Amino acid sequence: MWTLTVKGLLAHKLRLAATGLAVVLGVAFMSGTMVVTDTIGRTFDDLFATVYDNTDAHVRSAESVEVGFGMTDRERIEAGVLDTVLAVEGVAHAEGLVEGYTQIVGADGEPVGDPGMGAPTFGINWPERGELNPFDLAEGRAPERAGEVAIDRGSARRGDLAVGDTTTAVTQAGVVPVTIVGIVTFGGADSPGGASFTAFTHDEAQRLLAEPGRYSYIDVIAEPGVSEEELRRRLVAALPGDLEVLTGSEIIAEEQDVMREGMAFFNTFLLTFALIALFVGAFIIHNTFSIIVAQRTREMALLRAVGASRRQVLLSVLGEALAMALGASAVGVAAGVAVAAGLRALLAGFGIDLPEGGIVLSAGTVAAAMTAGVAVTMVSAVLPARRASRVPPIAAMREVAVDTSSRSRLRIVVGLLVLAAGVLLLAAGLAAPDAATVGGGAAVTFIGVAALGPVIAGPVSRVIGAPLPRLRGITGALARENALRNPKRTAATASALMIGVGLVSFITIFGESAKASIDRILRDAFVGDLVIDSGSFGFGGLPTELAPRVEAVEGVAAAVSLRGGPVELAGETTFLAAADPVRLEQVMDLEVTAGDLSALADDGIAVSRQVADGEGWAVGDVVPARFARTGSQELRVAAIYERREAAGDRFISLAAHERHFEDRFDMVVMVAFEPGADRDAVRRAVEAVAADYPTATVQDLGQYVEAQAAQLDAILGLVTVLLALAVLIALLGITNTLALSVFERTRELGLLRAVGMTREQLRALVRWESLLIALLGTAMGLAVGLFFGWGLVRSLAGEGFTELVVPAGSLLVIVVVAAVAGVLAAVPPARRAARLDVLRAVTVE
Amino acid sequence: MASTAPDPTTTTTVAAQAIDAVKVYGSGATEVRALDGVTVGFDTARFTAIMGPSGSGKSTLLHCVAGLDTLTSGRVLVGETDLGTLGDRDLTRLRRDRLGFVFQAFNLVPTLTALENITLPDALAGRKPDQEWLDQVIDTVGLRDRLGHRPSELSGGQQQRVAVARALANRPEIVFADEPTGNLDSRAGREILDFMGRAVRDLDQTIVMVTHDPVAAGYADRVIFLGDGRVVDEMHEPTAERVLDRLKQLGD
């Protein structure tokens, strides 16, 4: 039987090649994603190992709050600890380091980096001891006096800065003039993971980044003969209990883990698209094998007639699938290396810069990608193989039987059940909320719709194809009939496209709804006149001196700053905003329904109605909170408000913020004008003040809303591009199905040519059929996308999703693109059909 | 043999003709001369049968004269048109507008109804069929009550009748039939031959039919015998018995 398998493979190699391509693309995307992640992981592993090469111990505060993405907000320590450390026996050297937000301003006046959306931008002190200095000077020298900085080479390149240039740096203490005296690399990288570093002198760093006399951590080198463990023991014994000591190996491992955790999100994000691609591929593999098995019914029957067992036939078909799966997966893994480079370029295009490094193709990646490719292929081929094994020997004597299973009652029942299961899973996943369950629910929903596909393919194609006969006469009528003649095949082919179109239209609907909701929320809640935005979400932003300066502008009634930071509130880590509670109402309408914002003081918290109801809090209740800087605290619920979307779910007063947080930046400053002020003049005056702060963007409400929408658009754009792969694979499926159909209809097409169909008409016939399949898939996809969009927006109603927008224009673009793509997918099979030898076609036995 | 060649000066009565037609398949040792200098004419409004043993070149001759295949050398004229001068597009148009076809099997497009199959060439040309003529053809083959059926709902004989109707529907200059009764039982076969005969006698159509069945050939006005790619004999007003006798002689 294996000989037969091999012969079968060779005989159908063209058809299998197209199917294999679907596997190759999915596997390549998956292995590409893993190669990118592995490569970055390795780069960072090496980086941290190099940077902390000489560090034997790392001393820091034990008080911290997890921020997410592996980041931690940690209290700084008193500088006096350094003396204690240096006095410990076995310590050769120790150095206090201070880290904090800094953004260097490029030659064009724009700050380098985007800590709100991308990698963080750090300021740090230049370490005195060479062994503890993570930087390698590439050009120039170390900063020696106030106003001098060394910056990383990546930032220098992005900001077009060189040694000797003067510019400014945005820090907590304000915008300071600096001179670049050195360009550094970091463990061999120009810019570690896109992060930017600005190194100041010791005193400047303390003054600008934190508070004088405080360090973020202390790095220690042991004397020869003192082990890391021994050093730690001694340090722990000498230091107070609110400090913790890590060995050099531990801090390397922790930094590596932190980076990996940060990357994990990224990895999952990309792998999701690889899985979608494989899922689409599964549809195509299933369809191709079904068609091939149907076309080989007589061959299978003959085998059975001459004595092959069912099992042998089953194994023969599965053997073909396995061989194809192995080959295609191997090619996919190899292609993944190329995809990795492409992914990196794509992400760079969307502003996500990844560090350079040698390509890492790990055994784990190869194994995972191969397994996925083979598993998807085999699972997809099982049903067709079973069908092949059930061909009765007598079929060898019969004409190929007509497949009538497309509209069976069983199919409708099973399809509806699967669909219902998918929708229930989706609902459960959204309610939890749990991304994996949502994804599973979506997949099951797609399968359910696909199972019902053959039932709806007929009626839907009839409607879509209704104008064809009038538009294109007999060619159009024939194309429509061809699309209708095998509803299972048409539906399966269209279903593959449905997935991509469904997800793209879902993303489009969701994005437009999100934008409309943001617009609505901001317009409802914002009663001020201008927004000065930093684009930051907590790390860095606008120096706090900006707001008072703006408020001093004539015609400005209030300039209200909004800050925030991480807190552990009632046991859960969350973001806690901060604002001046009284003046906040001058720029924002929060609809306070219980308590009073003016009672916030420095120990109160205001929460949204949603949070209050969810937690069962009432005004006057005391809530446990933990801050990195001040440890466990108690907050008193002072006010409950209804409009949660604008200021977030919870905030405290600025006074409380200053007590509990060490980093003080404004994310945004909201400005209200005096009644009757000359708006243009006041705005110009505010802009003049803001011009001193490179991270500040002055916008009116409309511009602010647009800027928020633009950020969303960038993310949606990236997602759409990544989904395009799923659409591309589906188009391969259309090409493949049509090629198989053309092959199957050789005689019929030959007859048409014999009685006078021109080549152009024949090409049009294939093209129109392809277009019909594409439009059917698009229609199914739009229906599913609409449903998903509706479901998600409705389930997020509590999160401020008040608007459900169905963007007809964008959806029409999707239809047009899918239609054009459908026509393009028909090019190879149409060409093949047109080249068909008329005589051979009509005389074939 | 010279007496069987058409007089080139009387082309008005010749619907199609092959002149010194040579068709060679393959080359070298595997070379096969399917047609080896055939010169033959097919008269207008006559029913001509082409007979010969397997490999005699009868199907090749039909295919070449019908514009489905091209000659290695020699000429084919349909009316005044030299097929050798036509490209694929013009050949296709010629088949569509001026010729009709009936094949042994698989004559109909399965997705079209009987009527749609009959009017297919006109539909491909974007023309309205000549309704009066169409009615006449449909009545001749007796398909009035089957027009809305798909081929899968018709018997083999009915399918061939639809095919004959399709071949006649655009009032072609010639209808080419390649073993039209080959897949039918003898009763259905007789019906088809009857229709073809009536199409020639009553509707003045021209039919050229390849067959290996002496009974089928008996319906023709004239039989041309081929052997080894050459015209070896012809017979006017044949009967099945005379054809059978002649075939026996030729076989010896």
Side-chain angles (χ1 to χ4, degrees), chain A residues 485 751 753-754 757 761 839, chain B residues 69 88 92 95 107 110 124:
Chain A
R485 71 202 287 181
L751 173 72
R753 290 278 288 129
M757 181 174 260
Q761 282 175 313
L839 196 58
Chain B
D69 202 353
D88 178 76
T92 305
R95 289 197 301 269
N107 262 303
L124 286 171

Side-chain angles (χ1 to χ4, degrees), chain A residues 473-475 477-478 481-482 485 747-749 751-761 837-839 842-843 845, chain B residues 25 63 68-69 88 92-93 95-96 101 103-112 120-121 123-125 150 166 178:
Chain A
I474 191 72
T475 313
L478 280 170
E481 293 307 316
N482 279 345
R485 71 202 287 181
R747 299 187 73 171
E748 181 182 330
L749 299 179
L751 173 72
L752 284 167
R753 290 278 288 129
V755 301
M757 181 174 260
T758 61
R759 285 204 166 115
E760 180 36 49
Q761 282 175 313
D837 180 345
V838 182
L839 196 58
V842 296
T843 54
E845 275 311 312
Chain B
Y25 292 110
H63 292 150
L68 292 170
D69 202 353
D88 178 76
T92 305
R93 289 220 176 109
R95 289 197 301 269
R96 184 183 77 193
F101 291 91
F103 300 105
Q104 178 175 357
F106 211 92
N107 262 303
L108 307 180
V109 178
T111 48
L112 298 181
L120 182 56
L124 286 171
R150 296 269 169 103
R166 197 248 341 269
D178 190 359

Side-chain angles (χ1 to χ4, degrees), chain A residues 28-311:
Chain A
F29 195 87
M30 183 173 169
S31 66
T33 297
M34 295 171 81
V35 165
V36 167
T37 319
D38 286 349
T39 302
I40 295 168
R42 169 75 62 84
T43 309
F44 279 115
D45 284 359
D46 293 351
L47 196 88
F48 289 119
T50 314
V51 166
Y52 289 104
D53 194 18
N54 297 314
T55 304
D56 293 311
H58 183 83
V59 178
R60 67 188 185 192
S61 165
E63 281 292 345
S64 70
V65 172
E66 297 280 334
V67 182
F69 291 98
M71 303 274 279
T72 304
D73 188 41
R74 190 176 295 278
E75 194 202 356
R76 293 201 178 95
I77 53 182
E78 290 301 327
V81 173
L82 181 59
D83 295 332
T84 315
V85 167
L86 283 168
V88 170
E89 201 176 325
V91 170
H93 308 290
E95 173 125 24
L97 288 126
V98 54
E99 272 181 10
Y101 162 83
T102 297
Q103 233 176 323
I104 192 86
V105 176
D108 59 355
E110 290 298 317
V112 174
D114 178 7
M117 295 286 282
T121 56
F122 289 109
I124 192 170
N125 57 322
W126 182 268
E128 312 284 326
R129 310 284 326 183
E131 302 97 310
L132 290 173
N133 191 333
F135 302 114
D136 301 310
L137 264 177
E139 282 174 59
R141 58 172 174 83
E144 285 162 5
R145 57 184 74 89
E148 291 182 348
V149 295
I151 62 171
D152 65 282
R153 191 150 66 185
S155 298
R157 196 173 48 231
R158 279 188 284 171
D160 194 18
L161 296 169
V163 170
D165 286 359
T166 56
T167 178
T168 53
V170 184
T171 70
Q172 172 157 301
V175 181
V176 294
V178 293
T179 303
I180 309 229
V181 295
I183 306 279
V184 299
T185 58
F186 188 88
D190 282 354
S191 162
S196 128
F197 278 90
T198 306
F200 298 91
T201 62
H202 175 277
D203 294 350
E204 280 288 279
Q206 282 192 330
R207 185 175 74 82
L208 297 172
L209 310 179
E211 289 162 5
R214 284 173 81 82
Y215 291 127
S216 299
Y217 51 87
I218 294 169
D219 279 343
V220 186
I221 300 178
E223 275 172 354
V226 179
S227 74
E228 283 187 352
E229 284 301 324
E230 179 57 31
L231 181 66
R232 172 166 61 183
R233 240 188 325 272
R234 293 183 195 175
L235 284 167
V236 167
L239 292 169
D242 60 347
L243 298 183
E244 62 183 18
V245 182
L246 281 72
T247 64
S249 320
E250 282 171 347
I251 186 65
I252 289 175
E254 185 186 284
E255 292 283 357
Q256 291 173 344
D257 282 351
V258 163
M259 196 44 88
R260 249 188 230 114
E261 212 176 303
M263 291 298 303
F265 163 77
F266 200 58
N267 194 20
T268 309
F269 174 76
L270 287 177
L271 274 182
T272 303
F273 294 96
L275 286 180
I276 293 170
L278 280 172
F279 185 57
V280 175
F283 275 77
I284 291 165
I285 296 157
H286 173 80
N287 197 29
T288 307
F289 271 90
S290 297
I291 298 174
I292 292 178
V293 163
Q295 289 179 355
R296 290 164 68 191
T297 298
R298 292 180 89 157
E299 181 189 329
M300 303 294 172
L302 187 65
L303 284 173
R304 297 275 285 121
V306 300
S309 69
R310 277 192 174 179
R311 202 184 139 73

